[in-house]
Each structure stands twice: as C-alpha cells, then as structure tokens.
Amino acid sequence: NAGVTQTPKFRVLKTGQSMTLLCAQDMNHEYMYWYRQDPGMGLRLIHYSVGEGTTAKGEVPDGYNVSRLKKQNFLLGLESAAPSQTSVYFCASRVPGANVLTFGAGSRLTVL
Amino acid sequence: GENVEQHPSTLSVQEGDSAVIKCTYSDSASNYFPWYKQELGKRPQLIIDIRSNVGEKKDQRIAVTLNKTAKHFSLHITETQPEDSAVYFCAASMGSGAGSYQLTFGKGTKLSVIP
C-alpha cells in the first residue's frame, strides 16, 4: 500500500516546454487534488476531481490542465511552462465524507 | 469562496514554552477545521482537526479551539520540543455542496523551537 505517489519528484523545464505530472493512489479514494506550494503563499488548489472522468477548477487553474481517466490516477499538465509555474506541486486524495487529505511527497518543478 | 487568514507567519519559542497560532475564516458555512504540520522537505500531515459542533479538542500536547461566532480557531502547543519545529497550516472546509469538496488553507506559520 504505497498511498499517494507522485512522479517525477524533480524536473527542470525551459519556458514554453510542456510536461505532465502524474499522481497515483492505491487507496480507492474518490476525490483527488492538485495543489501548488510557494513560499509565503501556503497551499493553493489548482484543480480537483470528485470521481473518474470529472474535473473542476480550483483557486489557481490558469496555465494547467488535468485529466482523471482512471480512478487511481490524476494527471496535471502544463502545455507551455512559464517561470511563474516554478513551484512545489502536491497531489492529495481523500474519500467522500472523510475530510482527511493524504498527500503525496511533492514534485519540485523549476521553469527557466 | 472561503478565505482563511493565519497569524503569525513566523513564531519562535523557547523549548518548553507554549505556542499559539491563530486563524480566521470568512464563510460561516464552513464547519471543518484541520491543522496540518509540514516538516522541512516533507509532505503536509494532519495533526488535529475540529468540527463546528465542538468548541475544543485536545490530543496530548496539542489542542484546537473554535469560536464560531467570531469565525476564528487556534492551535495550541504546550511544552514545545525541538521536533515541533515545522510549518503549520490551518484550513477550512464546508460540510455540504460544492464547497465541501475543497479545503482552503491559510498561508502557514513557521514555528521554530529553540533548545
């Protein structure tokens, strides 16, 4: 039981490049989330999903896209990376009715 | 949407002293208030939470209090130890509707416990 696994853990991109962050959970959780963490800004919600095939925008969705084709996976895509997207990205999941979020270990992304 | 304010942003205490972190929230419909601890380079982890039908909750050296009328809640850590040094986040969530899917976090408090 690995919990929530994020890949990759580190990535350096050039401005304009694209990439996808993968979040996988083996706990059969319905809800999944992508947050970004910046110094002094706390955790800000980018997108979330309440079930397979559904996604919704969070607080800071611009510049990101997501997909939830399988219940266990939640993908975060950057189509054209910008330096402002340099951040640590956390994926999290939970079951409906249980508010506790289980976080992944984080993915540190640097955009040059 | 919900807005959560957290103070102070940094806090230094001597080992053995108490630490208090305060948060306010904007939406009176919020009814779930967790606290997460994030050690350097690690993922956030839940340390304690409280629901709006309870005014106080304790777990060993940590406690959380909630004042629904004033829309604020606080984390209290007693007899602080060096391993309490971390960033602490408060959060708020609504109990029903679209807002219940989301957890809104404060900006965090960096607690340093000086030996």
Side-chain angles (χ1 to χ4, degrees), chain B residues 2-74:
Chain B
E2 176 64 276
N3 182 48
V4 177
E5 300 282 343
Q6 183 172 347
H7 299 279
S9 56
T10 60
L11 178 61
S12 292
V13 299
Q14 292 288 331
E15 182 177 356
D17 287 350
S18 296
V20 180
I21 303 170
K22 299 181 179 181
C23 289
T24 61
Y25 60 99
S26 61
D27 197 325
S28 57
S30 290
N31 67 356
Y32 174 69
F33 308 95
W35 287 87
Y36 283 79
K37 175 183 179 182
Q38 186 180 28
E39 297 176 354
L40 187 63
K42 297 193 175 180
R43 71 193 78 189
Q45 292 193 307
L46 179 75
I47 55 170
I48 195 167
D49 57 11
I50 191 168
R51 297 188 181 275
S52 59
N53 58 347
V54 176
E56 184 176 5
K57 184 177 179 180
K58 290 183 179 180
D59 183 3
Q60 299 183 331
R61 295 186 297 108
I62 60 173
V64 57
T65 59
L66 171 65
N67 183 325
K68 283 186 62 179
T69 303
K71 290 191 282 189
H72 67 71
F73 56 112
S74 301

Side-chain angles (χ1 to χ4, degrees), chain A residues 33 37 94 99 101 103-104, chain B residues 32 36 38 43 51 100-101:
Chain A
Y33 304 82
Q37 184 175 32
R94 69 177 178 96
N99 296 93
L101 283 176
F103 282 90
Chain B
Y32 174 69
Y36 283 79
Q38 186 180 28
R43 71 193 78 189
R51 297 188 181 275
S100 66
Y101 302 134

Side-chain angles (χ1 to χ4, degrees), chain A:
Chain A
N1 191 341
V4 179
T5 303
Q6 293 181 229
T7 52
K9 288 184 170 53
F10 302 94
R11 183 75 186 269
V12 179
L13 287 177
K14 294 181 179 179
T15 297
Q17 287 185 319
S18 63
M19 75 157 296
T20 300
L21 296 174
L22 170 63
C23 177
Q25 51 94 5
D26 60 3
M27 299 173 288
N28 204 34
H29 286 179
E30 285 290 335
Y31 298 173
M32 297 186 74
Y33 304 82
W34 276 108
Y35 286 90
R36 61 176 288 172
Q37 184 175 32
D38 303 292
M41 297 299 292
L43 291 154
R44 294 183 292 170
L45 183 63
I46 305 171
H47 286 280
Y48 64 100
S49 168
V50 299
E52 182 178 317
T54 72
T55 63
K57 295 180 180 180
E59 181 185 356
V60 289
D62 294 343
Y64 305 94
N65 56 75
V66 288
S67 64
R68 183 100 181 268
L69 298 179
K70 293 183 178 180
K71 184 177 181 179
Q72 63 268 33
N73 296 336
F74 194 28
L75 279 65
L76 178 71
L78 287 72
E79 289 187 349
S80 180
S84 61
Q85 294 176 304
T86 293
S87 188
V88 179
Y89 292 85
F90 283 98
C91 177
S93 69
R94 69 177 178 96
V95 294
N99 296 93
V100 179
L101 283 176
T102 301
F103 282 90
S107 297
R108 182 175 295 275
L109 175 65
T110 302
V111 183
L112 303 176

Side-chain angles (χ1 to χ4, degrees), chain B residues 11-20 37 39 59-62 76-88 110-115:
Chain B
L11 178 61
S12 292
V13 299
Q14 292 288 331
E15 182 177 356
D17 287 350
S18 296
V20 180
K37 175 183 179 182
E39 297 176 354
D59 183 3
Q60 299 183 331
R61 295 186 297 108
I62 60 173
H76 304 253
I77 306 174
T78 58
E79 301 173 14
T80 53
Q81 301 169 2
E83 52 265 37
D84 294 329
S85 295
V87 178
Y88 292 80
K110 183 177 181 180
L111 174 65
S112 299
V113 179
I114 304 164

